[in-house]
Amino acid sequence: MAKVKTSYFCQNCGAQYAKWQGQCTSCREWNTIVEEVIQKEEKHTWKQGPTRSKRAVKPLKVNEIVRSEENRMSSGDNEFNRVLGGGIVQGSVILLGGEPGIGKSTLLLQIALQLPHKTLYVSGEESQAQIKMRAERINPSSENCYILTETKTQNIFKQIESITPDILIIDSIQTLHSDYIESSAGSISQIRECTAEFIKFAKETDTPVILIGHITKDGNIAGPKILEHMVDTVLQFEGDRNYVYRILRALKNRFGSTAELGIYEMLGNGLREVTNPSEILISRNEESLSGTAIAATVEGIRPLMIEIQALVSTAVYGTPQRSTTGYNAKRLNMLLAVLEKRAGFRLGTKDVFLNITGGISVDDPAIDLAVIAAILSSNEDIAIEKDICFAAEIGLAGEIRPVQRVDQRILEAEKLGFSTIFVSKQNKITIKKPGIRVALVSKIEDVISDLFG
Ligand code: TYD
Ligand code: MG
């Protein structure tokens, strides 16, 4: 009997070891190293025997390579196309990651159903009937979409040969297993092997492949980081499950920029593209309420107006509470310290709660000023006029610092009918005479006197 070949893999970073050890030397995690059976056969490809390769594989001089312009396929979804840099590139492998229940399967099934090309959607997670039910919610009429429930890659490739799809969707890479590797589905060596088989298939046949990947508690795509290196594009689908908004962003893109962003709304009948996010994220209440301020932020390269809500109240228990949703809690503590020191506000005896509405999370430092304004407004119980917005970062000395893309922020604010925007005095504004008052400020005190008199 042939000796079973095994190896040890870190389940966190994918590092391979010859022996077991308690701590992974590459990612420093404890107890993540697991023995996996690997039994490689001599040669194996996604398909054995004559290949249906469309490309001649031989070296070419750079200037001999013809780059065809139409090597992108539209997904029929503007946000998805935009994030990919203008559509799905033929022969590319895209990895879509996201928390469970966020809508990865829904997004890709929706795309599969609206594509005019022959699409094969392989699911290792749901039955054909379940997918049919979902498809009926989204879009019941599609003639080009095939659904296959299968987890063995060799069987998937067999089906691919008979169907010859123009695009392949795999839900999810963690449920697949290849016969060439003995270890169980979802283990590092299986994920790596299955991905490699699909990459080979994609490159040889020029068929785009979209893989769904689960992510772990700490937000990485489960399984090895190596997976992210192997594929051409890594997309992340994020949002708060309790809210309807979802953000799609590219973490890596070999065929485009990673600055683009797609915004969706999860409805009862699938995901809807959101073309005017700013208008939706701001609640246009008739009366102004204290504790809210609007920030002009930029996500990727997209300007976005968001509403920040703060609640400052007297601490009932000894230690005051600080709680944030969608904003970095450490950053809030820093801003509170700055306020205490520079503006004389005794927030040490107050509870502070901060919330970014819409369930999105923002790490643009340009929202600092709006955070401070919201806190002060709640503390003073004086509402900020609804047509005022903010775009500036706060430094440790209480100075108001310039931000990137200030012109773009001002234009977005103007477009949405704001009458005043607070920005740093040091920002160079190149747009001429915007139809909005640009209040240039350099210290927190200036803002306080302007807002609260
Ligand atoms: P799903 O795509 O299954 O998430 P993932 O594949 O990322 O785990 O999304 C599931 C959630 O989306 C589920 O809670 C129900 C909801 N949903 C809608 O709100 N509207 C819809 O049209 C569909 C299909 C799902
Ligand atoms: Mg799913």
Side-chain angles (χ1 to χ4, degrees), residues 8-29:
Y8 294 80
F9 292 93
C10 169
Q11 302 294 304
N12 186 51
C13 69
Q16 188 174 0
Y17 298 94
K19 278 195 305 190
W20 187 85
Q21 58 192 60
Q23 187 188 22
C24 171
T25 34
S26 75
C27 71
R28 310 241 147 247
E29 283 292 317

Side-chain angles (χ1 to χ4, degrees), residues 143-158:
E143 288 175 0
N144 303 312
C145 180
Y146 293 81
I147 307 289
L148 171 68
T149 45
E150 178 60 72
T151 53
K152 205 153 126 187
T153 55
Q154 280 73 18
N155 292 349
I156 296 174
F157 288 126
K158 231 175 261 159

Side-chain angles (χ1 to χ4, degrees), residues 12-206:
N12 186 51
C13 69
Q16 188 174 0
Y17 298 94
K19 278 195 305 190
W20 187 85
Q21 58 192 60
Q23 187 188 22
C24 171
T25 34
S26 75
C27 71
R28 310 241 147 247
E29 283 292 317
W30 288 91
N31 295 328
T32 54
I33 294 172
V34 171
E35 180 175 20
E36 291 181 8
V37 186
I38 42 168
Q39 207 157 36
K40 280 228 156 97
E41 295 204 358
E42 269 308 288
K43 57 170 197 268
H44 60 269
T45 58
W46 66 272
K47 172 179 177 296
Q48 286 173 340
T51 77
R52 58 177 259 241
S53 173
K54 291 178 194 165
R55 276 189 194 154
V57 195
K58 64 170 205 249
L60 284 177
K61 286 185 193 156
V62 174
N63 50 11
E64 284 173 359
I65 301 172
V66 254
R67 201 176 80 98
S68 54
E69 277 307 320
E70 55 293 319
N71 59 357
R72 281 185 195 260
M73 165 198 281
S74 165
S75 67
D77 181 315
N78 293 332
E79 303 288 299
F80 197 74
N81 285 346
R82 188 207 337 254
V83 174
L84 288 176
I88 305 170
V89 175
Q90 298 289 0
S92 69
V93 180
I94 299 164
L95 178 65
L96 174 70
E99 281 175 28
I102 204 74
K104 302 180 292 296
S105 308
T106 308
L107 176 67
L108 290 187
L109 184 63
Q110 187 170 327
I111 287 171
L113 292 172
Q114 68 196 29
L115 271 170
H117 311 275
K118 209 197 276 179
T119 313
L120 179 61
Y121 183 100
V122 182
S123 177
E125 303 197 334
E126 284 157 295
S127 67
Q128 276 165 324
Q130 275 174 309
I131 298 170
K132 169 76 178 162
M133 251 163 59
R134 192 194 294 249
E136 274 174 352
R137 281 176 79 174
I138 302 170
N139 172 6
S141 62
S142 167
E143 288 175 0
N144 303 312
C145 180
Y146 293 81
I147 307 289
L148 171 68
T149 45
E150 178 60 72
T151 53
K152 205 153 126 187
T153 55
Q154 280 73 18
N155 292 349
I156 296 174
F157 288 126
K158 231 175 261 159
Q159 296 302 327
I160 287 174
E161 264 173 55
S162 64
I163 297 174
T164 61
D166 297 319
I167 173 164
L168 177 66
I169 296 173
I170 306 286
D171 184 4
S172 66
I173 189 73
Q174 277 89 356
T175 54
L176 298 190
H177 71 98
S178 165
D179 271 351
Y180 299 115
I181 295 273
E182 297 260 318
S183 63
S184 60
S187 65
I188 301 283
S189 39
Q190 275 294 1
I191 294 177
R192 196 152 48 179
E193 170 64 23
C194 296
T195 310
E197 287 177 17
F198 284 109
I199 290 176
K200 193 151 196 279
F201 161 74
K203 302 298 167 197
E204 284 183 1
T205 62
D206 236 3

Side-chain angles (χ1 to χ4, degrees), residues 277-294:
S278 302
E279 284 171 25
I280 289 164
L281 292 172
I282 302 172
S283 63
R284 296 270 174 150
N285 287 334
E286 278 312 310
E287 72 232 76
S288 337
L289 300 167
S290 72
T292 58
I294 312 286

